[in-house]
C-alpha cells in the first residue's frame, strides 16, 4: 500500500557506487537499513554521509562514538539508532549498566562512564539542549578533558545523529531490532530491508 512517503529502495536498486560502499555492512548484517533504503534516492549525498560517519568513527574511541550516539538517539527519541547502538555497544564490550548510563536511563549510574565518556555525553546534551546556544562552557570543558581535535569530532558526530534523528523521525522509521533492555534474544518489529527486500536477518549495525 502506497503511504505517500519516499519509497524504500532494495539494495539492488541503489546506485553502484553506493552498493559498493555499503556492501560490507549489508553482508555483515544481512539487510539494508531502512534509513539507507530511503536516503538511497540521493546516492551522492548518502555516500558522503556514510564516509563522513566512518571518518568520525575512525577519529574517536569506541566509547566516545557510542556515548554520543546513544545520548543523541535517546534525547531525539530516535529508536532506529538507539536500539542498534545498544547492540553495537555490547559488541564493543560495554555492559548494560554502561549502555543505560550512556542513554541517561532512569536509575542508571553515570559513574560507570569514564571521565572522557561523561564529558562527551555532557557536551552532546549541552549542544542539543537549545540547538547549540549556550553550549560554550561545555565546549570549553571538553577541550580541557578531550582536547581540541576530539571535541570537534564529538560535535561533528553529534550533528550527524541530529540529521539522522530528524530524518528518521520524519519518515517514521522504526528500529529493525528490539532494545537490549527488552530482551537480548528477540528481534523487534521495526523494519529493515535485505538485499532482496526482506526483513532483517542480522541485529547489529
Amino acid at each position: 500500500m502506497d503511504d505517500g512517503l519516499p519509497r524504500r529502495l532494495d539494495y539492488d536498486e541503489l546506485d553502484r557506487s553506493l552498493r559498493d560502499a555499503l556492501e560490507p555492512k549489508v553482508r555483515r548484517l544481512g539487510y539494508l537499513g531502512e534509513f539507507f533504503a530511503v536516503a538511497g534516492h540521493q546516492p551522492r549525498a548518502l555516500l558522503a554521509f556514510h564516509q563522513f560517519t566512518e571518518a568520525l568513527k575512525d577519529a574517536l574511541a569506541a566509547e566516545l562514538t557510542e556515548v554520543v550516539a546513544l545520548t543523541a538517539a535517546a534525547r531525539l527519541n530516535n529508536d532506529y539508532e538507539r536500539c542498534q547502538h545498544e547492540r553495537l555497544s555490547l559488541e564493543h564490550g560495554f555492559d548494560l549498566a554502561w549502555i543505560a548510563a550512556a542513554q541517561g536511563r532512569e536509575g542508571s549510574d553515570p559513574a560507570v562512564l569514564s571521565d572522557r565518556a561523561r564529558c562527551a555525553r555532557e557536551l552532546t546534551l549541552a549542544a542539543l539542549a537549545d540547538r547549540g546556544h549556550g553550549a560554550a562552557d561545555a565546549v570549553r570543558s571538553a577541550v580541557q578533558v578531550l582536547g581540541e581535535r576530539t571535541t570537534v569530532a564529538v560535535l561533528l558526530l553529534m550533528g550527524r545523529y541530529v540529521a539522522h534523528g530528524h530524518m528518521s523521525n520524519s519518515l517514521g522509521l522504526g528500529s529493525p531490532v528490539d532494545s537490549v533492555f527488552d530482551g537480548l534474544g528477540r528481534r523487534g518489529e521495526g523494519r529493515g530491508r535485505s538485499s532482496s527486500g526482506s526483513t532483517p536477518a542480522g541485529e547489529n549495525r
Side-chain angles (χ1 to χ4, degrees), residues 123-141:
L123 175 57
T124 302
L125 289 172
L128 291 173
D130 189 19
R131 298 172 296 280
H133 298 294
D137 286 345
V139 175
R140 293 187 185 97
S141 295

Side-chain angles (χ1 to χ4, degrees), residues 7-16 19 40 193:
R7 185 169 60 89
R8 277 65 166 164
L9 300 175
D10 290 332
Y11 177 72
D12 290 341
E13 296 180 274
L14 297 178
D15 182 86
R16 177 59 183 271
R19 290 202 310 269
R193 298 178 73 84

Side-chain angles (χ1 to χ4, degrees), residues 180-203:
V180 297
F181 297 99
D182 294 335
L184 292 173
R186 287 190 302 118
R187 183 172 64 78
E189 296 177 351
R191 297 164 294 179
R193 298 178 73 84
S194 74
S195 58
S196 62
S198 61
T199 52
E203 291 187 333

Side-chain angles (χ1 to χ4, degrees), residues 5-80:
L5 297 174
R7 185 169 60 89
R8 277 65 166 164
L9 300 175
D10 290 332
Y11 177 72
D12 290 341
E13 296 180 274
L14 297 178
D15 182 86
R16 177 59 183 271
S17 62
L18 193 53
R19 290 202 310 269
D20 290 345
L22 297 179
E23 192 271 338
K25 180 190 294 288
V26 173
R27 185 177 65 249
R28 185 179 78 251
L29 301 181
Y31 66 94
L32 175 67
E34 196 174 16
F35 176 87
F36 292 94
V38 175
H41 285 287
Q42 287 292 329
R44 289 180 60 191
L46 179 56
L47 181 59
F49 186 83
H50 173 68
Q51 292 168 339
F52 177 74
T53 302
E54 294 302 309
L56 290 171
K57 285 167 60 178
D58 289 343
L60 292 168
E63 70 163 344
L64 300 186
T65 298
E66 295 310 314
V67 80
V68 171
L70 289 167
T71 298
R75 180 53 58 96
L76 295 167
N77 295 320
N78 181 6
D79 290 343
Y80 183 102

Side-chain angles (χ1 to χ4, degrees), residues 96-141:
L96 292 181
W98 189 96
I99 295 169
Q103 292 182 43
R105 291 176 68 93
E106 183 176 359
S108 63
D109 181 7
V112 304
L113 302 176
S114 70
D115 290 344
R116 289 173 65 81
R118 282 199 303 274
C119 180
R121 173 171 161 75
E122 289 165 4
L123 175 57
T124 302
L125 289 172
L128 291 173
D130 189 19
R131 298 172 296 280
H133 298 294
D137 286 345
V139 175
R140 293 187 185 97
S141 295

